[in-house]
Short mmCIF file of all heavy atoms in Angstrom, two decimals:
data_model
loop_
_atom_site.label_atom_id
_atom_site.label_comp_id
_atom_site.label_asym_id
_atom_site.label_seq_id
_atom_site.Cartn_x
_atom_site.Cartn_y
_atom_site.Cartn_z
N LEU A 1 -100.67 -42.95 59.39
CA LEU A 1 -100.13 -41.73 60.24
C LEU A 1 -98.61 -41.77 60.26
O LEU A 1 -98.03 -42.91 60.72
CB LEU A 1 -100.81 -41.69 61.55
CG LEU A 1 -100.27 -40.46 62.39
CD1 LEU A 1 -100.76 -39.12 61.73
CD2 LEU A 1 -100.86 -40.54 63.85
N TRP A 2 -97.92 -40.69 59.87
CA TRP A 2 -96.50 -40.65 60.25
C TRP A 2 -96.40 -39.79 61.45
O TRP A 2 -97.07 -38.70 61.55
CB TRP A 2 -95.79 -40.10 58.96
CG TRP A 2 -95.51 -40.94 57.84
CD1 TRP A 2 -95.68 -42.29 57.82
CD2 TRP A 2 -94.89 -40.70 56.56
NE1 TRP A 2 -95.34 -42.83 56.59
CE2 TRP A 2 -94.76 -41.82 55.87
CE3 TRP A 2 -94.49 -39.49 56.01
CZ2 TRP A 2 -94.35 -41.90 54.62
CZ3 TRP A 2 -93.85 -39.49 54.72
CH2 TRP A 2 -93.87 -40.73 54.02
N LEU A 3 -95.34 -40.04 62.21
CA LEU A 3 -95.00 -39.36 63.36
C LEU A 3 -93.69 -38.78 63.35
O LEU A 3 -92.78 -39.33 62.77
CB LEU A 3 -95.04 -40.19 64.61
CG LEU A 3 -96.43 -40.84 65.00
CD1 LEU A 3 -96.37 -41.74 66.16
CD2 LEU A 3 -97.51 -39.86 65.29
N ASP A 4 -93.44 -37.51 63.94
CA ASP A 4 -92.13 -36.95 64.05
C ASP A 4 -91.36 -37.59 65.09
O ASP A 4 -91.90 -38.31 65.95
CB ASP A 4 -92.47 -35.44 64.46
CG ASP A 4 -91.33 -34.51 63.90
OD1 ASP A 4 -90.17 -35.06 63.72
OD2 ASP A 4 -91.59 -33.33 63.71
N ARG A 5 -90.16 -37.36 65.30
CA ARG A 5 -89.32 -37.95 66.34
C ARG A 5 -89.65 -37.53 67.64
O ARG A 5 -89.43 -38.33 68.65
CB ARG A 5 -87.82 -37.60 66.13
CG ARG A 5 -87.23 -38.36 64.86
CD ARG A 5 -85.72 -38.14 64.71
NE ARG A 5 -84.96 -38.73 65.82
CZ ARG A 5 -83.67 -38.39 66.01
NH1 ARG A 5 -83.09 -37.51 65.26
NH2 ARG A 5 -83.06 -38.95 67.01
N ASP A 6 -90.34 -36.31 67.77
CA ASP A 6 -90.93 -35.94 69.16
C ASP A 6 -92.23 -36.61 69.48
O ASP A 6 -92.78 -36.21 70.57
CB ASP A 6 -90.80 -34.48 69.26
CG ASP A 6 -91.88 -33.76 68.34
OD1 ASP A 6 -92.60 -34.52 67.60
OD2 ASP A 6 -92.00 -32.57 68.29
N GLY A 7 -92.68 -37.38 68.57
CA GLY A 7 -94.00 -38.09 68.81
C GLY A 7 -95.25 -37.31 68.19
O GLY A 7 -96.25 -37.87 68.36
N SER A 8 -94.99 -36.28 67.68
CA SER A 8 -96.21 -35.39 67.20
C SER A 8 -96.60 -35.93 65.81
O SER A 8 -95.70 -36.34 65.04
CB SER A 8 -95.90 -33.98 67.19
OG SER A 8 -94.67 -33.66 66.44
N PRO A 9 -97.85 -35.73 65.37
CA PRO A 9 -98.12 -36.23 64.01
C PRO A 9 -97.46 -35.29 62.96
O PRO A 9 -97.25 -34.11 63.16
CB PRO A 9 -99.60 -35.95 63.92
CG PRO A 9 -100.21 -36.02 65.31
CD PRO A 9 -99.05 -35.46 66.21
N PHE A 10 -97.01 -36.06 61.90
CA PHE A 10 -96.18 -35.35 60.99
C PHE A 10 -97.01 -35.36 59.50
O PHE A 10 -96.96 -34.23 58.91
CB PHE A 10 -94.96 -36.18 60.63
CG PHE A 10 -93.99 -35.53 59.76
CD1 PHE A 10 -93.19 -34.61 60.05
CD2 PHE A 10 -93.71 -36.19 58.56
CE1 PHE A 10 -92.23 -33.99 59.39
CE2 PHE A 10 -92.77 -35.64 57.77
CZ PHE A 10 -92.07 -34.64 58.08
N ALA A 11 -97.70 -36.44 59.19
CA ALA A 11 -98.61 -36.47 57.99
C ALA A 11 -99.55 -37.53 58.15
O ALA A 11 -99.29 -38.72 58.77
CB ALA A 11 -97.63 -36.63 56.77
N ALA A 12 -100.75 -37.27 57.62
CA ALA A 12 -101.80 -38.27 57.55
C ALA A 12 -102.16 -38.60 56.17
O ALA A 12 -102.17 -37.75 55.24
CB ALA A 12 -103.04 -37.76 58.35
N PHE A 13 -102.43 -39.83 55.93
CA PHE A 13 -102.80 -40.37 54.52
C PHE A 13 -104.15 -40.86 54.42
O PHE A 13 -104.73 -41.61 55.39
CB PHE A 13 -101.93 -41.53 54.15
CG PHE A 13 -100.39 -41.21 54.14
CD1 PHE A 13 -99.68 -40.97 55.30
CD2 PHE A 13 -99.70 -41.05 52.96
CE1 PHE A 13 -98.35 -40.69 55.21
CE2 PHE A 13 -98.39 -40.68 52.83
CZ PHE A 13 -97.77 -40.42 54.04
N PHE A 14 -104.96 -40.53 53.36
CA PHE A 14 -106.20 -41.00 53.12
C PHE A 14 -106.35 -41.21 51.62
O PHE A 14 -105.43 -40.71 50.82
CB PHE A 14 -107.38 -40.00 53.52
CG PHE A 14 -107.33 -38.73 52.95
CD1 PHE A 14 -108.03 -38.43 51.89
CD2 PHE A 14 -106.52 -37.63 53.40
CE1 PHE A 14 -108.05 -37.18 51.27
CE2 PHE A 14 -106.54 -36.41 52.93
CZ PHE A 14 -107.24 -36.20 51.81
N THR A 15 -107.33 -41.83 51.19
CA THR A 15 -107.56 -42.22 49.75
C THR A 15 -108.97 -41.74 49.32
O THR A 15 -109.94 -42.22 49.91
CB THR A 15 -107.37 -43.71 49.48
OG1 THR A 15 -106.00 -44.04 49.92
CG2 THR A 15 -107.50 -44.01 47.98
N ASP A 16 -108.97 -40.77 48.37
CA ASP A 16 -110.30 -40.51 47.74
C ASP A 16 -110.48 -41.32 46.65
O ASP A 16 -111.02 -42.44 46.64
CB ASP A 16 -110.52 -39.07 47.50
CG ASP A 16 -109.21 -38.34 46.87
OD1 ASP A 16 -108.44 -39.05 46.20
OD2 ASP A 16 -109.17 -37.05 46.98
N ASP A 17 -109.82 -41.07 45.36
CA ASP A 17 -109.60 -41.81 44.44
C ASP A 17 -108.15 -42.33 44.22
O ASP A 17 -107.74 -43.32 43.79
CB ASP A 17 -110.16 -41.21 43.08
CG ASP A 17 -111.66 -41.36 42.96
OD1 ASP A 17 -112.21 -42.38 43.20
OD2 ASP A 17 -112.19 -40.38 42.53
N ARG A 18 -107.42 -41.37 44.57
CA ARG A 18 -105.85 -41.52 44.82
C ARG A 18 -105.47 -41.36 46.24
O ARG A 18 -106.15 -40.81 47.03
CB ARG A 18 -105.13 -40.56 43.88
CG ARG A 18 -105.40 -40.65 42.43
CD ARG A 18 -104.34 -39.60 41.71
NE ARG A 18 -104.62 -39.70 40.28
CZ ARG A 18 -105.44 -38.74 39.62
NH1 ARG A 18 -106.24 -37.91 40.37
NH2 ARG A 18 -105.56 -38.86 38.42
N GLU A 19 -104.24 -41.84 46.50
CA GLU A 19 -103.67 -41.70 47.91
C GLU A 19 -103.47 -40.12 47.99
O GLU A 19 -102.76 -39.50 47.16
CB GLU A 19 -102.40 -42.40 48.06
CG GLU A 19 -101.81 -42.19 49.49
CD GLU A 19 -100.48 -42.93 49.76
OE1 GLU A 19 -99.44 -42.39 49.34
OE2 GLU A 19 -100.61 -43.98 50.24
N GLN A 20 -103.85 -39.52 49.10
CA GLN A 20 -103.65 -38.11 49.45
C GLN A 20 -102.92 -37.94 50.72
O GLN A 20 -103.00 -38.92 51.47
CB GLN A 20 -104.96 -37.31 49.40
CG GLN A 20 -105.80 -37.64 48.22
CD GLN A 20 -105.34 -36.83 46.95
OE1 GLN A 20 -104.30 -36.11 46.95
NE2 GLN A 20 -105.93 -37.10 45.84
N ILE A 21 -102.19 -36.91 50.87
CA ILE A 21 -101.54 -36.56 52.10
C ILE A 21 -101.84 -35.27 52.73
O ILE A 21 -102.03 -34.19 52.01
CB ILE A 21 -99.93 -36.64 51.90
CG1 ILE A 21 -99.33 -37.73 51.28
CG2 ILE A 21 -99.13 -36.41 53.28
CD1 ILE A 21 -98.01 -37.82 50.76
N HIS A 22 -102.21 -35.27 54.01
CA HIS A 22 -102.48 -34.01 54.73
C HIS A 22 -101.20 -33.91 55.57
O HIS A 22 -100.93 -34.58 56.49
CB HIS A 22 -103.78 -34.17 55.61
CG HIS A 22 -103.95 -32.87 56.31
ND1 HIS A 22 -104.79 -31.94 55.76
CD2 HIS A 22 -103.51 -32.33 57.44
CE1 HIS A 22 -104.85 -30.82 56.61
NE2 HIS A 22 -104.12 -31.09 57.63
N TRP A 23 -100.48 -32.87 55.22
CA TRP A 23 -99.20 -32.49 56.04
C TRP A 23 -99.45 -31.64 57.26
O TRP A 23 -100.11 -30.59 57.15
CB TRP A 23 -98.22 -31.79 55.10
CG TRP A 23 -97.79 -32.55 53.82
CD1 TRP A 23 -98.19 -32.61 52.69
CD2 TRP A 23 -96.79 -33.62 54.08
NE1 TRP A 23 -97.51 -33.50 51.96
CE2 TRP A 23 -96.65 -34.20 52.65
CE3 TRP A 23 -95.95 -34.04 54.89
CZ2 TRP A 23 -95.68 -35.19 52.42
CZ3 TRP A 23 -95.01 -35.18 54.73
CH2 TRP A 23 -94.86 -35.58 53.30
N PHE A 24 -99.02 -32.13 58.31
CA PHE A 24 -99.04 -31.24 59.59
C PHE A 24 -97.70 -30.42 59.65
O PHE A 24 -97.65 -29.47 60.27
CB PHE A 24 -99.17 -32.16 60.85
CG PHE A 24 -100.43 -33.00 60.76
CD1 PHE A 24 -100.29 -34.36 60.68
CD2 PHE A 24 -101.59 -32.34 60.75
CE1 PHE A 24 -101.35 -35.09 60.64
CE2 PHE A 24 -102.79 -33.30 60.62
CZ PHE A 24 -102.69 -34.59 60.69
N ASN A 25 -96.62 -31.02 58.87
CA ASN A 25 -95.44 -30.32 58.84
C ASN A 25 -95.48 -29.38 57.52
O ASN A 25 -95.32 -29.83 56.46
CB ASN A 25 -94.25 -31.31 58.74
CG ASN A 25 -92.91 -30.69 58.63
OD1 ASN A 25 -92.56 -30.01 57.67
ND2 ASN A 25 -92.11 -31.01 59.70
N GLU A 26 -95.57 -28.08 57.83
CA GLU A 26 -95.83 -27.15 56.67
C GLU A 26 -94.60 -27.13 55.69
O GLU A 26 -94.82 -26.96 54.52
CB GLU A 26 -96.23 -25.83 57.18
CG GLU A 26 -97.49 -25.72 58.00
CD GLU A 26 -97.84 -24.40 58.57
OE1 GLU A 26 -96.96 -23.54 58.52
OE2 GLU A 26 -98.99 -24.16 58.96
N GLU A 27 -93.40 -27.18 56.27
CA GLU A 27 -92.19 -27.10 55.44
C GLU A 27 -92.29 -28.25 54.52
O GLU A 27 -91.92 -28.15 53.40
CB GLU A 27 -91.04 -27.09 56.35
CG GLU A 27 -89.65 -26.93 55.52
CD GLU A 27 -88.42 -26.91 56.44
OE1 GLU A 27 -88.58 -26.21 57.57
OE2 GLU A 27 -87.50 -27.44 56.16
N MET A 28 -92.39 -29.58 55.02
CA MET A 28 -92.34 -30.69 54.29
C MET A 28 -93.54 -30.66 53.18
O MET A 28 -93.42 -31.12 52.08
CB MET A 28 -92.44 -31.90 55.10
CG MET A 28 -92.18 -33.23 54.41
SD MET A 28 -90.52 -33.29 53.72
CE MET A 28 -90.75 -34.67 52.75
N GLY A 29 -94.62 -30.22 53.59
CA GLY A 29 -95.79 -30.08 52.64
C GLY A 29 -95.48 -29.24 51.49
O GLY A 29 -95.89 -29.56 50.41
#
């Protein structure tokens, strides 16, 4: 889990067959 500087979740990582990212930050996604 990556966090923003304000402490809120920024992105979560999981692996199906490859590493995948679920972005909570829409602009960065």
